[in-house]
Amino acid sequence: SSWRRVVAMGGPSILSMMLMPISSSVLTRLLGGFGHEAVAAAGAAGRIEMFAFVIPMALGISLTPFMSQNFGAQRLDRIREALRVATRFALLYGGLVAVLFIALAPWIAGLFTHDPKVAGIFTDYIRIIAFGYGALEVQRYSSFTLNGLHRPLAATAVTAVRVLVVLIPLSYLGSYLGGVRGLFAARLVTDLACGTMACLWAWRAVRQAESRVRGG
């Protein structure tokens, strides 16, 4: 029934939205163990990240309706090309932003604080996590693609694996072994691993859709 389809599509989205504040609260708690300076530095760095990724997010939002429309029209060639271009753009844009942020991290930190400890943690955050920016965007684009291919459960699984299986356990381990830098390294490993996983999952979904079209 149409009601069941709505629940099937909406349920995973609700679960994904629930996972984000859970991860944020856990990470904030872990950061709090290293002092309010760590919380302030990570908060400032997070705002810079949000500003920097407005452009790729604008592209990502358009991916789901584009993929869905072409999936309905059985134009899997367009879906394949769009995913290829989006992935390349994510890696190139993420790499460019990472280079700029790594080079300018101390200067950017000075715009937010004059506290040397906060500035130092901010710089560590940027210079560690920035290496995963491209992979993080690849994960987002892959999830948008899965939703466009009518695989909302798969898209939610990507988020669930990221938060519950990789990010939170690694964050505890990283903070225990390496302090605040270990916590940032855990985020980097999460971005790289889950970006790769999501990309492979999205391409697998595309190949399965192509097989169904050829078989049908």
Side-chain angles (χ1 to χ4, degrees), residues 14 32-33 39 60-61 66 71 91 97 102 140 143 149 174 208 211:
I14 294 172
V39 177
I61 291 172
F66 178 86
F71 181 64
L91 293 174
V97 171
I102 290 170
R140 288 173 177 159
S143 294
L149 294 174
Q208 288 176 340
S211 298

Side-chain angles (χ1 to χ4, degrees), residues 26-27 30 34 165-187 189-190:
V26 171
L27 295 179
L30 289 173
F34 301 105
V165 179
V166 184
L167 180 59
I168 291 178
L170 277 185
S171 295
Y172 275 102
L173 179 63
S175 62
Y176 176 76
L177 295 177
V180 70
R181 290 183 178 178
L183 182 58
F184 299 154
R187 158 74 187 276
V189 172
T190 297

Side-chain angles (χ1 to χ4, degrees), residues 67-75 79 148 150:
M67 297 296 193
S68 184
Q69 180 184 24
N70 284 283
F71 181 64
Q74 297 188 353
R75 290 300 305 269
I79 291 175
H150 302 176

Side-chain angles (χ1 to χ4, degrees), residues 27-210:
L27 295 179
T28 300
R29 180 178 178 182
L30 289 173
L31 283 167
F34 301 105
H36 67 274
E37 296 91 350
V39 177
R47 287 192 290 273
I48 289 294
E49 288 177 336
M50 290 178 61
F51 176 77
F53 283 93
V54 168
I55 294 175
M57 279 300 295
L59 170 63
I61 291 172
S62 68
L63 270 180
T64 296
F66 178 86
M67 297 296 193
S68 184
Q69 180 184 24
N70 284 283
F71 181 64
Q74 297 188 353
R75 290 300 305 269
L76 278 302
D77 57 317
R78 291 180 178 175
I79 291 175
R80 177 177 284 273
E81 182 63 18
L83 181 56
R84 183 182 297 111
V85 171
T87 300
R88 289 176 180 173
F89 173 78
L91 293 174
L92 289 173
Y93 186 90
L96 176 61
V97 171
V99 170
L100 291 174
F101 275 17
I102 290 170
L104 300 176
W107 178 79
I108 298 173
L111 298 177
F112 285 90
T113 181
H114 297 292
D115 185 325
K117 186 173 182 180
V118 175
I121 296 174
F122 179 99
T123 301
D124 286 340
Y125 179 107
I126 292 295
R127 288 183 168 172
I128 293 173
I129 291 178
F131 286 101
Y133 284 163
L136 177 61
E137 284 305 308
V138 168
Q139 180 193 325
R140 288 173 177 159
Y141 289 171
S142 298
S143 294
F144 290 140
T145 298
L146 289 169
N147 276 316
L149 294 174
H150 302 176
R151 299 284 189 90
L153 290 176
T156 301
V158 168
T159 303
V161 170
R162 173 186 172 84
V163 173
L164 301 177
V165 179
V166 184
L167 180 59
I168 291 178
L170 277 185
S171 295
Y172 275 102
L173 179 63
S175 62
Y176 176 76
L177 295 177
V180 70
R181 290 183 178 178
L183 182 58
F184 299 154
R187 158 74 187 276
L188 171 61
V189 172
T190 297
D191 289 345
L192 294 174
C194 294
T196 301
M197 175 198 69
C199 185
L200 293 174
W201 206 330
W203 279 109
R204 179 173 179 268
V206 171
R207 289 192 296 270
Q208 288 176 340
E210 289 174 334

